[in-house]
Amino acid sequence: MKNLAVLVWRAFSDPGLGHAPHKLQQLFSQSQAMGLVLARLYVAQVFFLSGLTKIRDWSITLALFTDEYQVPLLSPEVAAYAGTAGELLLPLLLALGLAGRFAALGLLVINGVAVLSLAEIAPAALLGHQLWGVLLLLVALWGAGAWSLDAWIRRLGSSPR
């Protein structure tokens, strides 16, 4: 019984799961891969849809960047183009897991600028931005995961010829 308790403790407390049985290591590895895919797809959808909204009516987007969003260091027009391009291109990379860390870091910047550039932000909106920021930070720290194009490319590069 003591051995089982020690095994369970190690399985859930050892950061590398180095002492967990192989099957348990595989289960956690697959769970992490699935969690990263879900995080990537959720955040990618949020930002991509925001980018589509911006290109639907460009005159309103320019007006928002001129009057509402106070993006530092950039003119409203440059900020509108840069933000919209980032919201359309980076989510595609993130969803595919291609240059996943780059995409996550880029969207973290966009997310941060969005929060900082609004004079007033509703508490519910702020919570959304905080959630997206945490999920993006996980991808930036862990990478896109085992179920990504990044991992597939890495496996191709390391396979024997």
Side-chain angles (χ1 to χ4, degrees):
M1 186 68 171
K2 180 182 173 191
N3 288 342
L4 179 60
V6 168
L7 181 64
V8 170
W9 174 256
R10 285 183 178 164
F12 289 101
S13 65
D14 181 7
L17 295 173
H19 300 290
H22 182 67
K23 293 284 186 194
L24 194 55
Q25 287 179 9
Q26 285 180 322
L27 174 67
F28 281 122
S29 177
Q30 297 304 313
S31 298
Q32 183 186 39
M34 180 178 285
L36 285 167
V37 165
L38 293 174
R40 288 186 355 242
L41 292 176
Y42 170 69
V43 176
Q45 178 189 18
V46 168
F47 280 90
F48 189 75
L49 290 176
S50 177
L52 288 179
T53 300
K54 285 179 177 65
I55 62 170
R56 250 186 228 117
D57 194 335
W58 190 248
S59 61
I60 290 177
T61 298
L62 286 176
L64 281 171
F65 275 87
T66 301
D67 302 327
E68 189 74 23
Y69 307 147
Q70 304 302 313
V71 178
L73 305 176
L74 297 176
S75 71
E77 189 170 345
V78 170
Y81 278 109
T84 303
E87 285 184 337
L88 292 172
L89 299 175
L90 294 172
L92 295 175
L93 293 174
L94 187 69
L96 295 170
L98 181 62
R101 283 191 167 108
F102 170 79
L105 289 171
L107 288 171
L108 264 171
V109 169
I110 291 172
N111 190 44
V113 168
V115 170
L116 295 174
S117 67
L118 285 170
E120 293 182 26
I121 186 166
L126 182 59
L127 283 174
H129 283 278
Q130 290 170 339
L131 172 64
W132 307 328
V134 167
L135 294 175
L136 288 166
L137 189 58
L138 290 176
V139 176
L141 292 174
W142 286 346
W147 299 350
S148 66
L149 285 179
D150 286 346
W152 181 71
I153 291 168
R154 195 169 33 256
R155 284 190 299 270
L156 278 179
S158 65
S159 63
R161 299 191 194 267

